[in-house]
Amino acid sequence: MELTTVKIGTVSVLDAAGRIDSVTAKSLEEKLLALIKEAPPALVVDFAKVDYISSAGLRALLVAAKQSKAAKCKFALCSLKAQVREVFDISGFGTIIAIHPDRASALAAAA
Amino acid sequence: MELTTVKIGTVSVLDAAGRIDSVTAKSLEEKLLALIKEAPPALVVDFAKVDYISSAGLRALLVAAKQSKAAKCKFALCSLKAQVREVFDISGFGTIIAIHPDRASALAAAA
Amino acid sequence: MAADLVLSLKNDPAEIARLAPLVDAFCARHGLAEATAAQFNLVLDEAITNIISYAYEDAGEHEISVRISLTRGALTAELVDDGREFDPLQVTPPDLAAPLAERSVGGLGVHLMRRLMDDISYRREGARNHLVLAKRIA
Amino acid sequence: MAADLVLSLKNDPAEIARLAPLVDAFCARHGLAEATAAQFNLVLDEAITNIISYAYEDAGEHEISVRISLTRGALTAELVDDGREFDPLQVTPPDLAAPLAERSVGGLGVHLMRRLMDDISYRREGARNHLVLAKRIA
Ligand SMILES: Nc1ncnc2c1ncn2[C@@H]1O[C@H](COP(=O)(O)OP(=O)(O)O)[C@@H](O)[C@H]1O
Ligand SMILES: Nc1ncnc2c1ncn2[C@@H]1O[C@H](COP(=O)(O)OP(=O)(O)O)[C@@H](O)[C@H]1O
């Protein structure tokens, strides 16, 4: 897994790539919590290059989503590949985390 | 395994291709015995396209070599790939069957 | 001819990413869809991660064996471990309707296994757990 | 992670040509030379052909199981069949110095197995023959 952060206006965007599994989920969680600490108005995680996510990755995102809510930071995901999207759907994440089809719509919603 | 016969002058040449194993050796043996029956002065089996031979194939060649001797037909092989050659060497066939490096030398020796 | 993939993994989470390409190759050779291989890999990940995380009472090295086969219209994996007795079928499903604040951060692994497989069976044999995960192939 | 190839073949000579590409792929994945795979395939062919030709007293379907593994510096195959008890190590080697007329047309299969493998062991277990063929890997 690789993580790259960019600022687009005031919004923090985290580009994730590769596998998010029990080996890599902890780094994702740490990165997300560190970004939330900076108190941006919104945080978008771009999944365009993520090939794989397991429940360990879902756990990291759920922890970040809860923390974002407490910090009043809008938390959203975008650009999920079909096989990754399926894992979110089966896990009932659609009702608790905003998931956008692409980066543009995620940024529009974050504004 | 595929077999193709050509006459070069009076010499019969059998081009073999593919795998010579317990499934295909019987057809090779039948073909060789049929060719020997035609009583050519020499019979060359070209192994250029043979990828594989097992002891079932060696048995067919030995039967043909014995029959050739009885029929006074010169029997020879040519153009063996390295991994096929190794099987002949380990089986001590070099002392009982003429093996030529290429088709030209096999035909020259048959003349 | 039936061809099975038999693997022996150590209780190290890094083993799971090494297993994935072998499962992909096994599925490709049998003409199964990539999506099937991906779902199967996820379920194997969840089951093996749980064994590594929860099954052992010591910190030593353990072997987890995995046998993957394609028989009678199903892609099947049998996992055998020597950890504590544990039947994942007894785990209470998570509440997927709870709002964010009340959503538990765990319990999704077994849920994914159940949702992505068509049949899961568990048995304890001697000092070993045997978990059989099966997915029907159309 | 150790990955074994476990196959279940029927007593049909056509199975052998189906086995070969799997063995090639197994060897390639472990970085073994193509020549090693070719020699190993030949030995498997000889052993399996003999089982199919000589081991069974009936004409029914039988299963031959093959487990290929790479462990402790050796490529190993264990063949298990339910045919008559037969130890190939007891076969008298052919006379490779005999002239053509006296050369026997048989007996080369076991000879090739012995020459191409570094270690062969046989045991009878219950109603089954277990033949272990091993080739050292440099
Ligand atoms: N192999 C196992 N051995 C012992 N306990 C296990 C095992 N697998 C799962 N568990 C228990 O079942 C619970 C649910 O597992 P799971 O659904 O994967 O979610 P999570 O690991 O996120 O808690 C775990 O928290 C653990 O208590
Ligand atoms: N699995 C087996 N069961 C019983 N007899 C066997 C078996 N394998 C080999 N044999 C015997 O050993 C002999 C030598 O076998 P082999 O060296 O392969 O040569 P060939 O098959 O050409 O005779 C065979 O002729 C057969 O009598």
Side-chain angles (χ1 to χ4, degrees):
Chain A
M1 183 193 65
E2 269 160 63
L3 300 175
T4 318
T5 324
V6 285
K7 275 271 178 190
I8 295 183
T10 55
V11 178
S12 294
V13 177
L14 182 65
D15 275 297
R19 285 174 65 90
I20 308 180
D21 59 13
S22 64
V23 174
T24 59
K26 202 73 209 164
S27 326
L28 174 64
E29 184 175 322
E30 282 165 9
K31 186 72 203 172
L32 289 170
L33 294 183
L35 289 172
I36 295 164
K37 260 222 177 103
E38 295 170 2
L43 171 56
V44 174
V45 188
D46 190 328
F47 269 70
K49 297 196 192 98
V50 173
D51 306 308
Y52 181 85
I53 191 164
S54 76
S55 69
L58 297 180
R59 174 194 283 263
L61 292 170
L62 197 49
V63 167
K66 284 171 183 262
Q67 194 60 38
S68 294
K69 198 173 182 203
K72 300 204 179 349
C73 159
K74 283 195 213 166
F75 185 66
L77 314 180
C78 72
S79 313
L80 280 63
K81 291 188 181 174
Q83 72 267 29
V84 170
R85 173 84 215 201
E86 183 189 23
V87 178
F88 280 85
D89 290 344
I90 295 177
S91 305
F93 268 43
T95 58
I96 48 171
I97 296 183
I99 300 180
H100 299 281
D102 51 46
R103 193 155 167 153
S105 28
L107 291 173
Chain B
M1 183 193 64
E2 269 159 64
L3 301 175
T4 318
T5 324
V6 285
K7 275 269 179 192
I8 295 184
T10 56
V11 178
S12 295
V13 177
L14 183 66
D15 275 298
R19 286 174 64 91
I20 307 179
D21 59 14
S22 63
V23 174
T24 58
K26 202 74 208 163
S27 325
L28 174 64
E29 185 175 321
E30 282 164 11
K31 185 74 202 170
L32 289 170
L33 295 183
L35 288 172
I36 295 164
K37 263 225 177 97
E38 296 170 2
L43 170 57
V44 174
V45 188
D46 191 327
F47 269 71
K49 298 198 191 93
V50 173
D51 306 309
Y52 180 85
I53 191 164
S54 74
S55 70
L58 297 180
R59 174 193 283 262
L61 292 170
L62 198 48
V63 167
K66 285 172 185 265
Q67 194 59 38
S68 294
K69 199 175 181 202
K72 299 202 177 351
C73 159
K74 283 195 213 166
F75 185 66
L77 315 180
C78 71
S79 313
L80 281 62
K81 292 189 180 172
Q83 72 267 28
V84 170
R85 173 84 216 200
E86 185 190 22
V87 179
F88 279 86
D89 289 344
I90 296 177
S91 306
F93 268 42
T95 57
I96 48 171
I97 296 182
I99 300 180
H100 299 281
D102 50 47
R103 191 155 167 152
S105 27
L107 291 173
Chain C
M1 182 176 58
D4 294 2
L5 182 61
V6 174
L7 304 137
S8 165
L9 281 67
K10 294 194 206 320
N11 53 327
D12 170 357
E15 292 277 81
I16 295 166
R18 289 178 205 131
L19 163 67
L22 297 180
V23 173
D24 287 341
F26 179 90
C27 290
R29 199 178 62 232
H30 289 96
L32 306 182
E34 272 179 44
T36 303
Q39 292 175 340
F40 209 68
N41 265 319
L42 176 58
V43 169
L44 288 171
D45 179 341
E46 298 297 344
I48 297 167
T49 298
N50 280 354
I51 294 168
I52 296 173
S53 309
Y54 305 119
Y56 306 114
E57 315 197 353
D58 59 60
E61 190 174 297
H62 292 265
E63 188 191 313
I64 302 160
S65 87
V66 184
R67 181 174 187 132
I68 295 170
S69 51
L70 187 68
T71 33
R72 290 181 299 279
L75 179 61
T76 302
E78 175 159 4
L79 272 65
V80 181
D81 71 80
D82 63 349
R84 80 183 80 216
E85 182 165 357
F86 178 76
D87 177 359
L89 297 172
Q90 303 309 320
V91 171
T92 317
D95 177 5
L96 301 184
L100 179 59
E102 284 140 46
R103 194 70 67 101
S104 151
V105 295
L108 290 171
V110 171
H111 171 72
L112 285 168
M113 286 164 52
R114 300 179 85 148
R115 282 292 301 273
L116 292 170
M117 291 292 107
D118 293 305
D119 190 52
I120 299 184
S121 70
Y122 170 82
R123 67 180 195 279
R124 181 82 176 174
E125 255 184 48
R128 293 189 154 70
N129 297 302
H130 290 247
L131 185 64
V132 180
L133 305 159
K135 190 164 180 66
R136 270 196 305 277
I137 301 305
Chain D
M1 182 175 59
D4 293 4
L5 182 62
V6 174
L7 303 138
S8 166
L9 281 67
K10 295 194 206 317
N11 54 328
D12 169 357
E15 292 277 81
I16 295 166
R18 290 178 205 132
L19 162 68
L22 297 180
V23 172
D24 287 341
F26 179 90
C27 289
R29 200 178 63 232
H30 289 96
L32 305 182
E34 273 178 43
T36 302
Q39 293 175 340
F40 210 67
N41 265 320
L42 176 57
V43 169
L44 288 171
D45 178 341
E46 298 298 344
I48 297 167
T49 297
N50 279 353
I51 293 169
I52 295 173
S53 309
Y54 306 118
Y56 305 114
E57 315 196 354
D58 59 60
E61 190 172 298
H62 292 266
E63 188 192 313
I64 302 161
S65 87
V66 184
R67 180 174 187 131
I68 296 171
S69 52
L70 188 68
T71 34
R72 290 181 300 278
L75 179 61
T76 302
E78 176 159 0
L79 271 66
V80 181
D81 71 79
D82 63 350
R84 80 183 82 216
E85 182 165 359
F86 177 77
D87 178 359
L89 298 172
Q90 303 308 320
V91 171
T92 317
D95 178 5
L96 301 184
L100 179 59
E102 283 141 45
R103 192 71 66 101
S104 151
V105 294
L108 289 171
V110 172
H111 171 71
L112 284 168
M113 287 165 51
R114 302 180 83 147
R115 283 292 302 273
L116 292 171
M117 292 293 107
D118 293 306
D119 190 53
I120 298 183
S121 70
Y122 169 82
R123 66 179 196 280
R124 181 81 177 175
E125 256 183 48
R128 292 189 155 71
N129 296 301
H130 290 247
L131 185 64
V132 179
L133 306 158
K135 188 161 182 69
R136 271 196 305 277
I137 301 304

